[in-house]
Structure formats: C-alpha cells, structure tokens
C-alpha cells in the first residue's frame, strides 16, 4: 500500500523468509557461521537459542539457502508437539521414505525406526548429508521426545549414517536439555542470538530499506534511538514498528518517520498484539 509513496520495490519489513534481506549483524553472522561449521564439518548436533522474535527460524532459512546441494533434504519441523512414534514417522517421510517405497502410515515403532534408518542409509549411500531442524523445540512437553532424539543420534555411531540435528528454541529449551543429560552432552555447537545494539538496529533498518530499493532516508536520525528503546533490538518488533510507521507516514503524507510516530505506533501494538 505504501510502497510507491516511499519509492520501494517491495515491502522491507514484511514477515517473510527472504534470504536476500539477511543483515549480517555480528550476532546473526556469528550464529550463521557456527551453524555452517556444524553442518559442513559433520559435528552431529547443535543448538540455536534466542528470545522470541530474535530471528532463529529466519537464520535457519538463510542457512538452508547457503548450504551445498549435498545437505538435502533440509527438514524443518515447526510443530514438535508430537509423540515419539509420530516424530519418527514424520522425519522418515520428510526425508523421503515414501519416495523410497516405504509406506508413511506403517504402524509399530520398530517398523518406523527401521524405515527411518534405511532412508538415512540410502541418503548416505547417495552422498547426501541431510539436516534435521526441530524448531520451537522449547514447546516439547513430552520428555520422551528428547530421549528419542538422543537415540536418533546413536545412528551416527552404530552405522554408516551422516546427518545433522539442530534444536531451535527460546531459553526454556536449555532447561529441557538439562533434564536430558545424554542429549545435552551430544550438543557440539551452541549458538545464542542476542538482540541488536542501537547501532545494529539502525543498520538493520537501513539495510532492509536499501534491499527494497530505497536510497534516500526514511527515518529521522533521532527516530533510530527511539526505535531501539522501544524494541530493545528485537528484529520482529523492529519490523512491526517500522512497517506500521511507514503506513502512518504514507497516510499522513509525512516526509520522514519521526520518534513521535514510532511511539504512537508502539502504544497501539502494546494494546493489540502480544509478543
């Protein structure tokens, strides 16, 4: 709606998985390098932790876009509240077991485990090193899931199987892993996404505007400090405030977005949209 007014070719602050908008801040670039190291050097299992809205799922999307073809399939489970059998069955099918002639609806945990194991072996024989991402892992309520994931990692030690397991979630995930010491001990790479600094917040906003085609300033210089104070450097909150700020600026025909606009928009978000 406001794109033509601000001379934008696309929406710079939309909640979409577009790797082209990736801003190489220190926390996100460092996290991406660690995840690439995890996968490319066959370290087995990793952990990505950050506050809600810090960009964890987006970073996984960027990781997928930068990995070599041999790191396929890239399976990202975003609804981990499953039983152990459902989890194994889901992974087997997503890794291609159905295409390999294994029925996805087989019953019996032993049969599903064999199906998953055979598919992992098949992929390994083809030169593939798949990646399995368990997103929102802090929502796992059944502690048996963590035990199942530990057993899944045992495939790497007992047979010629090569894959990467990445657990992604907020800080609650750390306490879950403390109750699953065997799985926690297998985590070889740990990444913690911290919020943007004030400087990174400004650079992030300017980067996304530039990618969207805007070359002239959109925000008053003082507005960036206000933006940081209102969002504490959280990317999702930054996107929401900036998106609505651009909309208000368009509606009111403003030349630039001011601190007052951001503060007014922030008050509306606080009363209508939870974190």
């Amino acid at each position: 709606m406001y794109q033509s007014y601000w001379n934008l070719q696309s929406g710079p602050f939309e909640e979409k998985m577009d790797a082209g908008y990736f801003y190489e801040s220190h926390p996100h670039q460092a996290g991406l390098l660690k995840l690439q190291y995890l996968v490319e050097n066959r370290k087995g299992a990793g952990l990505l932790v950050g506050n809600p809205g810090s960009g964890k799922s987006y970073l996984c999307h960027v990781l997928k876009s930068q990995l070599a073809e041999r790191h396929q399939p890239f399976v990202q489970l975003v609804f981990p509240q499953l039983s152990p059998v459902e989890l194994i069955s889901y992974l087997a099918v997503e890794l291609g077991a159905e295409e390999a002639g294994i029925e996805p609806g087989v019953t019996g945990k032993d049969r599903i485990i064999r199906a998953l194991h055979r598919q992992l072996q098949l992929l390994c024989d083809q030169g593939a090193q798949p990646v399995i991402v368990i997103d929102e892992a802090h929502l796992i309520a059944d502690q048996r899931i963590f035990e199942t994931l530990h057993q899944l990692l045992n495939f790497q030690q007992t047979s010629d199987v090569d894959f990467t397991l990445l657990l992604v979630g907020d800080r609650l995930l750390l306490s879950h892993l403390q109750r699953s010491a065997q799985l926690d001990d297998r985590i070889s790479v740990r990444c913690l996404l911290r919020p943007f600094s004030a400087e990174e917040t400004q650079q992030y906003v300017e980067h996304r505007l530039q990618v969207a085609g805007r070359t002239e300033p959109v925000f008053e210089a003082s507005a960036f400090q206000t933006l940081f104070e209102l969002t504490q450097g959280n990317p999702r909150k930054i996107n929401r405030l900036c998106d609505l700020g651009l909309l208000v600026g368009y509606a009111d025909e403003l030349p630039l977005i001011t601190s007052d606009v951001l503060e007014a928009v922030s008050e509306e978000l606080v009363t209508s949209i939870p974190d």
Side-chain angles (χ1 to χ4, degrees):
M1 180 181 294
Y2 57 65
Q3 292 178 17
S4 60
Y5 179 81
W6 295 110
N7 295 321
L8 297 167
Q9 298 172 1
S10 60
F13 303 109
E14 294 179 2
E15 296 287 342
K16 58 184 179 181
M17 297 291 183
D18 187 342
Y21 278 92
F22 180 59
Y23 163 57
E24 297 180 357
S25 68
H26 180 268
H28 287 77
Q29 182 63 13
L32 180 61
L33 289 175
K34 283 186 177 181
L35 296 182
Q36 289 173 327
Y37 174 77
L38 166 71
V39 175
E40 295 172 357
N41 290 274
R42 304 179 179 183
K43 293 300 180 178
L47 179 69
L48 175 61
V49 172
N51 293 332
S54 59
K56 301 182 296 296
S57 297
Y58 178 66
L59 193 64
C60 290
H61 177 75
V62 175
L63 172 68
K64 179 181 178 181
S65 72
Q66 296 191 7
L67 289 175
E69 185 66 26
R70 69 179 182 276
H71 299 297
Q72 297 292 332
F74 189 102
V75 177
Q76 189 165 0
L77 172 61
V78 297
F79 190 84
Q81 294 171 304
L82 305 172
S83 71
V85 171
E86 290 171 335
L87 173 67
I88 297 169
S89 181
Y90 176 88
L91 293 179
V93 172
E94 289 300 304
L95 287 167
E98 185 176 8
E99 289 75 8
I102 302 170
E103 296 182 8
V106 294
T107 58
K109 187 175 182 179
D110 58 330
R111 295 182 62 189
I112 298 174
I113 291 174
R114 283 197 293 270
L116 175 59
H117 192 199
R118 284 198 300 269
Q119 185 60 21
L120 286 169
Q121 286 182 318
L122 176 61
L123 290 169
C124 186
D125 292 342
Q126 296 172 345
Q129 301 165 24
V131 178
I132 299 172
V133 178
I134 310 297
D135 208 344
E136 304 289 349
H138 60 279
L139 296 177
I140 295 175
D142 190 342
Q143 195 68 19
R144 294 178 302 164
I145 290 294
F146 294 106
E147 297 170 4
T148 299
L149 293 174
H150 172 250
Q151 293 166 358
L152 179 62
L153 289 173
N154 286 339
F155 285 166
Q156 299 172 333
Q157 297 180 330
T158 60
S159 59
D160 188 19
V161 167
D162 189 11
F163 66 93
T164 298
L165 174 66
L166 176 60
L167 301 179
V168 180
D170 67 24
R171 292 175 183 269
L172 181 60
L173 177 57
L174 298 176
S175 62
H176 288 332
L177 287 174
Q178 288 177 352
R179 296 193 296 271
S180 181
Q182 289 181 312
L183 177 59
D184 189 45
D185 188 59
R186 298 289 293 275
I187 304 295
S188 57
V189 175
R190 299 170 188 264
C191 307
L192 176 63
L193 283 185
R194 64 164 177 80
F196 292 147
S197 65
E199 181 180 5
E200 288 168 338
T201 297
Q202 178 172 347
Q203 293 173 347
Y204 171 79
V205 170
E206 293 175 337
H207 168 77
R208 293 187 74 97
L209 287 168
Q210 290 171 2
V211 173
R214 176 75 181 194
T215 58
E216 298 297 323
V218 171
F219 293 82
E220 286 188 349
S222 60
F224 288 111
Q225 181 60 35
T226 301
L227 180 64
F228 172 71
E229 293 172 357
L230 292 171
T231 64
Q232 294 299 298
N234 182 285
R236 180 182 296 159
K237 293 180 180 179
I238 293 171
N239 288 343
R240 288 174 176 174
L241 279 186
C242 289
D243 182 55
L244 288 178
L246 291 178
L247 178 62
V248 171
Y250 156 70
D252 294 345
E253 298 184 352
L254 301 177
L256 294 172
I257 304 302
T258 65
S259 294
D260 290 342
V261 170
L262 293 178
E263 289 173 351
V265 168
S266 179
E267 289 182 7
E268 293 180 2
L269 285 175
V270 167
T271 57
S272 60
I273 302 179
D275 289 342

